[in-house]
Amino acid sequence: MNAIAPVRILEGQAASDHTQKVLTAYFSELDHRIDGGFDPDLTESTSPEQVTPPNGDFFLMTELISGEVIACGAVRKLDDTTAELRRIWVTPDHRGKGHARTLVRSLENKVRALGAHTAVVSLNEEMVEGIAMFRKRGYEPVEPFHENTTATVFLGRKL
């Protein structure tokens, strides 16, 4: 039986060196997966202040023993009632183990802690795994809430 290594979620990581490294890897994967590539300079940027309390938060998930960063995700308040889940990514070697669901549950809890009651997320249609996960969690189509050049699917859920 393959045991899954215990993990922990670190909050308040918007400006950490680990965050910059994991985002670089995430953007590289997007560049390979999305038809036409991905250029982070052409998408809606998120400043560290937008994903730092009280405006939001940035999480890193690490293996408890090794400290290896295996996932990331962020929350950004859009207004008093709605927060956006952003930059949710699990490293390829750690997929299929439930880490994305665990991370999203933690991000949704942060949405509530920030005083919002609706979570929204935007994805590219080629991110079929992420779309399926959010749909299973009860996310439904919503109107676009930004003009990101690569986002084509917009979902939301009342928490």
Side-chain angles (χ1 to χ4, degrees):
M1 179 166 131
N2 280 341
I4 297 174
V7 299
R8 71 174 158 200
I9 295 175
L10 305 171
E11 299 182 26
Q13 299 299 305
S16 81
D17 291 337
H18 292 297
T19 295
Q20 295 311 308
K21 289 177 187 172
V22 76
L23 286 176
T24 298
Y26 170 52
F27 293 158
S28 177
E29 181 176 342
L30 288 178
D31 190 46
H32 289 92
R33 282 192 72 174
I34 294 174
D35 187 35
F38 176 80
D39 182 349
D41 292 331
L42 298 178
T43 63
E44 183 184 35
S45 65
T46 304
S47 69
E49 295 79 24
Q50 291 176 303
V51 290
T52 300
N55 305 311
D57 210 339
F58 198 100
F59 293 4
L60 292 177
M61 179 182 282
T62 66
E63 283 191 340
L64 187 59
I65 305 297
S66 70
E68 175 189 1
V69 175
I70 62 170
C72 66
V75 173
R76 173 177 73 164
K77 276 188 86 169
L78 298 178
D79 57 41
D80 288 340
T81 64
T82 307
E84 178 185 14
L85 307 184
R86 298 180 57 83
R87 308 296 190 226
I88 299 166
W89 184 68
V90 177
T91 61
D93 291 348
H94 292 89
R95 293 181 185 156
K97 300 175 183 178
H99 296 314
R101 285 188 308 275
T102 298
L103 183 60
V104 168
R105 277 194 303 271
S106 294
L107 292 169
E108 289 171 342
N109 286 337
K110 181 55 78 169
V111 168
R112 291 180 189 99
L114 292 169
H117 56 78
T118 300
V120 294
V121 63
S122 62
L123 305 105
N124 182 278
E125 73 262 8
E126 294 182 44
M127 308 309 287
V128 294
E129 305 91 342
I131 294 167
M133 180 197 61
F134 281 106
R135 293 304 304 252
K136 284 181 185 175
R137 292 196 56 73
Y139 284 73
E140 297 291 334
V142 296
E143 291 296 316
F145 46 89
H146 62 72
E147 295 182 14
N148 183 316
T149 59
T150 59
T152 55
V153 176
F154 295 83
L155 302 171
R157 173 181 171 214
K158 290 209 183 289
L159 302 176

